[in-house]
Amino acid sequence: MTTLQKDEDGFFNPVPARGSSPSKPEEKPKHEETPKAEEAPARPASPENDLVKSSFEVSVTLADQQADPNSPLFSVKTFEELGLSEELLKGIYDMGFSKPSKIQERALPLLLSNPPTNMIGQSQSGTGKTAAFVLTMLSRIDFDLHKPQAICLAPSRELARQIMSVVCTMGKYTAVQTEYAIKDHLPRDASNITAQIIVGNPGTTIDLIRRRVLDTTHIKVFVLDEADNMLDQDGLGDQTLRVKNSLARNNKSQIVLFSATFPEHVRSFASKFAPNANKIELQKEELSVESIRQFYMDCKDEEHKYDILVQLYQLLTIGQSIIFCQHRHTADRISARMTAEGHKVASLHGAKDASERDAIIDRFREGKEKVLITTNVIARGIDIMQVNMVVNYDLPLMNERDKFADERPDIETYIHRIGECIIIGEKGGSRRTGRFGRKGVSINFVHDKRTWMQMEQIEKALGRKIIRIETHDLDEMEENMKKALK
Ligand SMILES: Nc1ncnc2c1ncn2[C@@H]1O[C@H](COP(=O)(O)OP(=O)(O)OP(=O)(O)O)[C@@H](O)[C@H]1O
């Protein structure tokens, strides 16, 4: 019998039977060599310190947000009080973090306490969950032991690569060694992984374990980023469970689950997956932040959606934008059409091969491309500083294949998509601090009764107004956008 597995874009594909071999690999393993710590960590200059003149204004803004007890960026603590090593403090301060966010302040003492306790942590997009679990992995490993000790799984290649860059930056004053478990990275005949932190996707990780390239005997921390997505039984849940089951039976790994969303149907599974976990949960009304600017445009039909997107091009390129489509072919089609008409856009989805995907996201991260047309493949966790606009060219649906047609909007995916340009708090952030306090705008395209009703359901679920922008008045549209981005 053929089993169907939901892939990164949300499509269902036949999956090979358990134990069958995956596709061919290419590159050599890479172990990151990192320098040892030498000096005491220096905290970044305070906002009041005019040594950092160029970021004076924005830093003050960040401090304001972190001083607001209602903001998810608020904290009463310093990183020093959280029990981190000197080397890690140096890494954090090098990244320009001066204070922990609320989730970091609340989660880190629980994550780092002994004996290790499991954690299910929820906090809005862009509030610093990655740093919390990366610091946990870096704090728990024994740098003298050259064996895998922490595994972090994420739903997409792009997110795994982003997490790895945080591990390497935060851990740069430690001797940590890292390895990817992503498709086409390790050669087929790779020998035992000796790196301590492994970041990857569940399918490749399970394959490496099965081929005995990845030994899980010494795993102390097992992290799932975007955990609700990773545990979803209609998606990656099965593979993730297989990775967990591969941990030695007597293994007492600390299981750490993080996400901005934990829908009802995965909550009980999450509790079983991470038994006796400390839990940090958001109330329903806290799911999306108050100040996020959400708009919609009432288009006449599919063709009109395209016309409007083209008309928006100037606005899309003020910063950077991500355009989400339901299907890969839509992403390719509109990107080809816009390119032919002289616009500079790129498209990214799960049907492209690994090296192409890496090149596309890297170019986008470097700002070489300003508009990225994509599918749900990068709907979660992507943190690119300049992205200040997200367009839902197609609204996310619970199920994106006709065969399984389900017309309900996918609220969680919507929250994650718009979170990629999310605004936390009223005031803007700085280049240095990225999404952490940054401004952004999301625009939904609706074009018939069905899509309009789907958007209404999203509005109701989030309890936030989605504001109409007239499609015929470009000036007003521009005015609205610029106001929202200010
Ligand atoms: N304490 C801090 N001070 C300043 N900036 C921070 C701090 N913690 C995290 N950031 C920055 O905030 C941005 C968002 O953080 P991160 O990606 O960890 O959020 P997240 O909660 O994991 O988001 P998502 O739910 O989308 O995965 C990043 O650019 C990160 O470098």
Side-chain angles (χ1 to χ4, degrees), residues 118-120 231 244 255 257 262 264-279 281:
N118 295 341
M119 158 73 72
I120 301 178
L231 294 175
K244 187 193 167 206
I255 297 169
L257 312 183
F262 276 101
E264 213 45 55
H265 68 279
V266 295
R267 270 177 198 262
S268 64
F269 185 43
S271 298
K272 276 189 218 126
F273 194 92
N276 308 315
N278 289 316
K279 290 184 184 166
E281 288 172 341

Short mmCIF file of all heavy atoms in Angstrom, two decimals, residues 118-120 231 244 255 257 262 264-279 281:
data_model
loop_
_atom_site.label_atom_id
_atom_site.label_comp_id
_atom_site.label_asym_id
_atom_site.label_seq_id
_atom_site.Cartn_x
_atom_site.Cartn_y
_atom_site.Cartn_z
N ASN A 118 11.54 18.35 30.74
CA ASN A 118 11.01 18.65 29.41
C ASN A 118 10.31 20.00 29.41
O ASN A 118 9.89 20.50 30.45
CB ASN A 118 10.02 17.56 28.97
CG ASN A 118 10.71 16.21 28.80
OD1 ASN A 118 11.93 16.15 28.66
ND2 ASN A 118 9.94 15.14 28.80
N MET A 119 10.16 20.56 28.20
CA MET A 119 9.53 21.89 28.10
C MET A 119 8.62 21.95 26.88
O MET A 119 8.99 21.48 25.80
CB MET A 119 10.64 22.94 27.99
CG MET A 119 10.26 24.27 27.37
SD MET A 119 9.25 25.30 28.44
CE MET A 119 10.44 25.80 29.63
N ILE A 120 7.43 22.49 27.08
CA ILE A 120 6.57 22.84 25.94
C ILE A 120 6.38 24.35 26.03
O ILE A 120 5.76 24.84 26.96
CB ILE A 120 5.21 22.10 26.00
CG1 ILE A 120 5.44 20.58 26.01
CG2 ILE A 120 4.33 22.52 24.82
CD1 ILE A 120 4.18 19.74 26.12
N LEU A 231 4.79 17.67 14.94
CA LEU A 231 4.08 16.55 15.59
C LEU A 231 2.75 16.24 14.91
O LEU A 231 2.07 15.29 15.29
CB LEU A 231 3.81 16.90 17.06
CG LEU A 231 5.04 17.02 17.96
CD1 LEU A 231 4.64 17.48 19.35
CD2 LEU A 231 5.79 15.69 18.03
N LYS A 244 12.44 10.15 17.72
CA LYS A 244 12.39 10.07 19.18
C LYS A 244 12.54 8.62 19.64
O LYS A 244 13.27 8.32 20.59
CB LYS A 244 11.09 10.66 19.70
CG LYS A 244 11.09 10.75 21.21
CD LYS A 244 9.74 11.02 21.77
CE LYS A 244 9.76 10.78 23.26
NZ LYS A 244 8.43 10.43 23.75
N ILE A 255 13.38 16.80 26.41
CA ILE A 255 12.64 17.07 25.18
C ILE A 255 12.08 18.48 25.25
O ILE A 255 11.41 18.86 26.22
CB ILE A 255 11.53 16.02 24.98
CG1 ILE A 255 12.21 14.64 24.82
CG2 ILE A 255 10.68 16.33 23.75
CD1 ILE A 255 11.28 13.49 24.88
N LEU A 257 9.96 21.41 23.20
CA LEU A 257 9.08 21.72 22.09
C LEU A 257 8.75 23.21 22.10
O LEU A 257 8.31 23.74 23.12
CB LEU A 257 7.76 20.93 22.20
CG LEU A 257 7.82 19.43 22.49
CD1 LEU A 257 6.40 18.86 22.49
CD2 LEU A 257 8.66 18.71 21.44
N PHE A 262 0.03 26.13 19.15
CA PHE A 262 -0.18 24.72 19.54
C PHE A 262 -1.68 24.43 19.43
O PHE A 262 -2.40 24.52 20.42
CB PHE A 262 0.31 24.45 20.98
CG PHE A 262 1.78 24.17 21.08
CD1 PHE A 262 2.65 25.17 21.50
CD2 PHE A 262 2.29 22.93 20.74
CE1 PHE A 262 4.02 24.92 21.59
CE2 PHE A 262 3.67 22.68 20.84
CZ PHE A 262 4.52 23.68 21.26
N GLU A 264 -5.30 22.74 19.27
CA GLU A 264 -5.88 21.73 20.16
C GLU A 264 -5.49 20.29 19.78
O GLU A 264 -5.09 19.51 20.63
CB GLU A 264 -7.41 21.91 20.10
CG GLU A 264 -8.13 21.58 21.38
CD GLU A 264 -7.48 22.17 22.63
OE1 GLU A 264 -7.26 23.39 22.68
OE2 GLU A 264 -7.16 21.37 23.56
N HIS A 265 -5.56 19.99 18.46
CA HIS A 265 -5.38 18.59 18.08
C HIS A 265 -3.95 18.06 18.27
O HIS A 265 -3.74 16.86 18.21
CB HIS A 265 -5.86 18.34 16.64
CG HIS A 265 -5.02 19.00 15.58
ND1 HIS A 265 -5.15 20.32 15.24
CD2 HIS A 265 -4.04 18.51 14.79
CE1 HIS A 265 -4.29 20.61 14.29
NE2 HIS A 265 -3.60 19.53 14.00
N VAL A 266 -2.97 18.94 18.50
CA VAL A 266 -1.63 18.39 18.78
C VAL A 266 -1.24 18.51 20.25
O VAL A 266 -0.24 17.95 20.68
CB VAL A 266 -0.49 19.00 17.92
CG1 VAL A 266 -0.66 18.68 16.47
CG2 VAL A 266 -0.33 20.46 18.14
N ARG A 267 -2.06 19.25 21.01
CA ARG A 267 -1.68 19.49 22.40
C ARG A 267 -1.49 18.21 23.21
O ARG A 267 -0.51 18.05 23.92
CB ARG A 267 -2.70 20.38 23.11
CG ARG A 267 -2.37 21.84 22.97
CD ARG A 267 -3.41 22.72 23.60
NE ARG A 267 -3.26 24.06 23.08
CZ ARG A 267 -2.62 25.05 23.70
NH1 ARG A 267 -2.13 24.85 24.89
NH2 ARG A 267 -2.49 26.22 23.14
N SER A 268 -2.44 17.28 23.07
CA SER A 268 -2.33 16.09 23.92
C SER A 268 -1.18 15.21 23.44
O SER A 268 -0.46 14.61 24.25
CB SER A 268 -3.64 15.32 24.00
OG SER A 268 -3.97 14.84 22.73
N PHE A 269 -0.97 15.18 22.12
CA PHE A 269 0.17 14.41 21.61
C PHE A 269 1.48 15.04 22.09
O PHE A 269 2.41 14.33 22.50
CB PHE A 269 0.11 14.34 20.08
CG PHE A 269 1.19 13.46 19.47
CD1 PHE A 269 1.51 12.23 20.04
CD2 PHE A 269 1.87 13.87 18.34
CE1 PHE A 269 2.50 11.42 19.49
CE2 PHE A 269 2.86 13.07 17.78
CZ PHE A 269 3.18 11.85 18.36
N ALA A 270 1.52 16.35 22.09
CA ALA A 270 2.73 17.06 22.56
C ALA A 270 3.00 16.70 24.02
O ALA A 270 4.15 16.44 24.39
CB ALA A 270 2.55 18.56 22.39
N SER A 271 1.95 16.62 24.82
CA SER A 271 2.14 16.30 26.24
C SER A 271 2.64 14.87 26.42
O SER A 271 3.39 14.58 27.35
CB SER A 271 0.84 16.46 27.01
OG SER A 271 0.45 17.80 26.93
N LYS A 272 2.21 13.98 25.52
CA LYS A 272 2.71 12.60 25.61
C LYS A 272 4.15 12.52 25.10
O LYS A 272 4.96 11.76 25.61
CB LYS A 272 1.83 11.67 24.75
CG LYS A 272 0.61 11.22 25.49
CD LYS A 272 -0.10 10.12 24.69
CE LYS A 272 -1.60 10.29 24.83
NZ LYS A 272 -2.33 10.37 23.58
N PHE A 273 4.43 13.29 24.08
CA PHE A 273 5.75 13.30 23.46
C PHE A 273 6.79 13.85 24.44
O PHE A 273 7.93 13.38 24.50
CB PHE A 273 5.70 14.15 22.20
CG PHE A 273 6.87 13.99 21.28
CD1 PHE A 273 6.82 13.05 20.24
CD2 PHE A 273 8.01 14.76 21.42
CE1 PHE A 273 7.89 12.89 19.38
CE2 PHE A 273 9.09 14.60 20.56
CZ PHE A 273 9.03 13.67 19.54
N ALA A 274 6.39 14.87 25.17
CA ALA A 274 7.30 15.48 26.16
C ALA A 274 6.63 15.36 27.53
O ALA A 274 6.06 16.32 28.05
CB ALA A 274 7.56 16.94 25.81
N PRO A 275 6.68 14.16 28.14
CA PRO A 275 5.94 13.95 29.39
C PRO A 275 6.46 14.82 30.53
O PRO A 275 7.64 15.18 30.56
CB PRO A 275 6.16 12.46 29.70
CG PRO A 275 7.21 11.98 28.76
CD PRO A 275 7.39 12.97 27.67
N ASN A 276 5.55 15.15 31.42
CA ASN A 276 5.86 15.95 32.62
C ASN A 276 6.58 17.25 32.29
O ASN A 276 7.46 17.69 33.05
CB ASN A 276 6.71 15.16 33.61
CG ASN A 276 6.09 13.82 33.93
OD1 ASN A 276 4.89 13.74 34.17
ND2 ASN A 276 6.89 12.75 33.87
N ALA A 277 6.24 17.83 31.17
CA ALA A 277 6.96 19.04 30.75
C ALA A 277 6.52 20.27 31.54
O ALA A 277 5.36 20.38 31.94
CB ALA A 277 6.72 19.28 29.26
N ASN A 278 7.45 21.18 31.73
CA ASN A 278 7.08 22.53 32.15
C ASN A 278 6.41 23.16 30.95
O ASN A 278 6.86 22.97 29.82
CB ASN A 278 8.33 23.35 32.48
CG ASN A 278 8.99 22.89 33.77
OD1 ASN A 278 8.31 22.63 34.75
ND2 ASN A 278 10.32 22.77 33.75
N LYS A 279 5.33 23.90 31.19
CA LYS A 279 4.60 24.47 30.05
C LYS A 279 4.51 25.98 30.14
O LYS A 279 4.17 26.52 31.20
CB LYS A 279 3.20 23.88 29.97
CG LYS A 279 3.20 22.43 29.57
CD LYS A 279 1.80 21.89 29.40
CE LYS A 279 1.89 20.40 29.08
NZ LYS A 279 0.66 19.69 29.21
N GLU A 281 2.43 28.74 28.12
CA GLU A 281 1.40 28.80 27.07
C GLU A 281 0.88 30.20 26.88
O GLU A 281 0.85 31.00 27.82
CB GLU A 281 0.23 27.88 27.45
CG GLU A 281 0.57 26.42 27.33
CD GLU A 281 -0.51 25.51 27.88
OE1 GLU A 281 -1.36 25.97 28.67
OE2 GLU A 281 -0.48 24.32 27.53
#
